[in-house]
Amino acid sequence: MDKSAIAQRVEMLRTTLDQYSYQYYVMDDPSVPDAQYDKLFQELKQLEQDHPEFVSPESPTQRVGAAPLSAFDSVQHRMPMLSLDNAFSDQDLLDFDRRIKERLKIDDTVEYACEPKLDGIAVSLMYEHGILIRGATRGDGQTGEDITQNVRTIKSIPLKLRGEAIPELLEVRGEIYMLKQGFDAINEQARAEGGKVFVNPRNAAAGSLRVLDSNITATRPLEMCAYSVGVVEGGTLPNTHTRVLEQLNQWGFRINRYMASAQGAQECIDYHSKLGEQRDYLPYDIDGIVFKVNSLELQQQLGFVSRAPRWAIAYKFPAQEQMTVLKGVEFQVGRTGAVTPVARLEPVFVGGVTVSNATLHNRDEIERLGVMVGDSVVIRRAGDVIPQVVSVVAEKRPKNAAEILFPASCPVCDSPVETTPGEAVARCTGGLVCPAQRKESIKHYASRKAMDIEGLGDKLVEALVDKGLIKSVEDLYGLTTDDVAGLERMGAKSAQNLVTAIERSKQTTLAKLIYSLGIREVGEATSRSLEAALGTLDALITADEESLQSIPDIGPVVAHFIAEWFAQKDHLALVAALKDAGVTWSESEPKQPEELPLAGLTYVVTGSLESYSRDEAKAHLQSLGAKVAGSVSKKTHCVVAGPGAGSKLTKAQDLGVEVIDEEQFIAFLKQHGIG
């Protein structure tokens, strides 16, 4: 054959093999015997070996592993991979449905997309012009690991998308998992060879994805099921979640065969019950059902909280339980002084892991259970939730069972333990006098979402406190390289890096400062609301509970905690000490939400800005009162378009929505005192 004929034959073989793979791995409907597939595969492989100029990365022959990596590179997700809130009962789901209707201000029945929650590893797959260019783990939701070489070996992940109207840039998100049969097979082989035996299919999938040698990944029976999209540029998608998944299926992705839509909460409950009955008979593990508002327009209206979408929830199946013996109880003290009883157990295997500790929550829970040391107890582990004691097997109680006595004084600092009327939680009254509370408050202050002091991990905080080098967060700013270098496993360079990171943290935002103070029930979103509504720390300090409740998303309980925190002299002294140490933050004139310049307006940020990250741009817009949406609609007031803006820019132009570039955006922010 001449070169032209060879090229045509290679292309034909690839197209045919891709179709066979799609029918086999995606549609579960093989159209030819394995021998026929193998024959064509070997022919293509031979042609590519004889004519390497025709080798292409998307060829079926290129799914073999590559040379081992020395480490995984980090990947910054352009759109965060968020977590899901959980439901554990029908009432939780009914409450979720009620909140959806309240936020949308509707009485109509809401349509939901229903999908089994596969027990695997979430991944992001990026396609450019239909070609797979990157695979990444979820990581912490903001940053993951580049596992492109490994995902390329998974046959249910298309290297090249099929069909038409494929967006120029498409991020597909899904779950990589291992079938029970495949899990049993690799464990049987591991036992025969004296190798590592995996605990459960999820553990096996995670281990297979995170090996540095993709040749090993290629031998593992992994599957991938698509469940959503992330970044989409240069193309459009259908207007409901289920139709989006059906489109992904046409482009070459496996979607779950049990996916369905449901009208209202009761149909969701019925679907959950039906799948729960089939759970043990499925070829893979599922730990619940994910319900999502099906309309993408309604999803956009509902938006997100800081860590999860408001329009989705994971309704977990009843937790797996086992019986064991409670050997003792210890009491731990948290950042807010909460004294939590922790059960020390005879180790027991529950839900794929060995459990030796479980929470008893509080004094009321101990009394409700009637539990005693020495009792046989039932332990429940639901997903990643901390294991808990759910019941006592009274007939197994030994004669020497001992009563659990809640401490009258703190087990760490000996300060009195008190319970506020109306609360079940007992708290140490020692405040920052208590070493346990000091340590936890410093850990929180240094965390990434607070002051983001790189290198100041939990163990280092504990060492600094134990050595008497710091007692409170303001002491961090007095540390020297000699102080830090004197600690175990800390060299001069590491010490200098830490001191530099501490110095860098002095410049922050008001929202991050508020969050870093560790006020009860005040998270990131609440901190941003306080910053937007009040503008200055002095305004926050002097605000009473009534005025705080006028701020969106702040109710009476949170307002009380805020006012109570700033009413304490020790806390005001802490803020003053931080100022004296050189900590600064940007402030503005206090304004009510409706007085903010962008109140009631919806903005969209797209493309890659050079001066700000997308999160920073979003935070600046929110501080001016804007709602920042993820997609463009007729309700969008303005689109901020940086380099690389794609389909969102096109849609804005089609709808006649105002568009500004980065230079105009920077000038706009400066007009309002930002930057």
Side-chain angles (χ1 to χ4, degrees), residues 362 364 418-427 520 557 561:
N362 51 52
D364 289 355
E418 296 180 355
T419 302
T420 302
E423 280 194 0
V425 177
R427 298 183 188 277
R520 284 177 64 190
V557 173
F561 287 147

Side-chain angles (χ1 to χ4, degrees), residues 259-278:
M259 179 186 74
S261 59
Q263 303 298 321
Q266 188 55 55
E267 285 193 15
C268 290
I269 291 170
D270 294 342
Y271 177 92
H272 181 270
S273 177
K274 179 181 177 181
L275 262 291
E277 293 173 358
Q278 301 178 46

Side-chain angles (χ1 to χ4, degrees), residues 103-180:
R103 288 189 178 276
L104 294 173
K105 296 181 173 58
I106 62 171
D107 294 321
D108 299 334
T109 299
V110 177
E111 182 180 70
Y112 293 98
C114 318
E115 300 171 64
K117 187 175 183 297
L118 296 169
D119 197 12
I121 306 300
V123 293
S124 160
L125 304 173
M126 193 70 77
Y127 289 81
E128 192 169 78
H129 301 293
I131 304 298
L132 176 65
I133 60 170
R134 193 195 71 202
T137 62
R138 177 184 180 276
D140 63 4
Q142 300 287 339
T143 305
E145 293 178 317
D146 189 330
I147 55 169
T148 306
Q149 286 191 180
N150 289 348
V151 299
R152 286 178 58 85
T153 69
I154 300 173
K155 293 183 174 64
S156 51
I157 293 178
L159 301 178
K160 179 181 180 180
L161 302 185
R162 62 203 312 273
E164 300 175 350
I166 299 167
E168 294 173 10
L169 189 68
L170 174 67
E171 180 189 10
V172 178
R173 294 176 174 181
E175 200 85 0
I176 290 180
Y177 59 100
M178 188 174 288
L179 297 178
K180 295 175 183 176

